[in-house]
Amino acid sequence: ICTYIRSPVVPQHLAGAQILSYYAYPALMPGHALGFAFSTYNKTIFMALDTDSNAIPDPELLISCMLEAKNELLVKSDIQMGK
């Protein structure tokens, strides 16, 4: 499953403190092996990943490939990426 959550494009505050990041969580549903959730907040993109270890035995490899692809995209754009 892959989902996108749009959030405010300007800084928000909670109890007087600025919210620095905004991550959505891709909870896996029965029968799903992989979940991606993308969110944007304050002109930054955040990404979260959840995997079923029985279906994805090497999630570190998947993450490595995704980071490589992200870096390629960022070189070609002016978008910032959250940590």
Side-chain angles (χ1 to χ4, degrees):
I1 187 162
C2 184
T3 189
Y4 168 71
I5 307 297
R6 184 175 180 195
S7 55
V9 295
V10 296
Q12 301 291 300
H13 294 79
L14 180 64
Q18 183 177 341
I19 298 170
L20 301 177
S21 58
Y22 180 90
Y23 288 90
Y25 178 72
L28 291 181
M29 303 300 286
H32 291 111
L34 181 62
F36 291 103
F38 296 89
S39 57
T40 55
Y41 168 68
N42 193 20
K43 301 179 185 175
T44 304
I45 299 171
F46 296 91
M47 179 179 64
L49 169 71
D50 193 7
T51 63
D52 177 344
S53 59
N54 291 321
I56 312 286
D58 191 1
E60 290 80 16
L61 176 60
L62 175 63
I63 292 168
S64 175
C65 292
M66 291 180 61
L67 290 173
E68 184 178 333
K70 174 204 73 156
N71 291 335
E72 289 177 17
L73 289 171
L74 291 177
V75 166
K76 298 176 183 177
S77 71
D78 63 351
I79 297 173
Q80 297 178 20
M81 188 79 177
K83 297 181 180 180

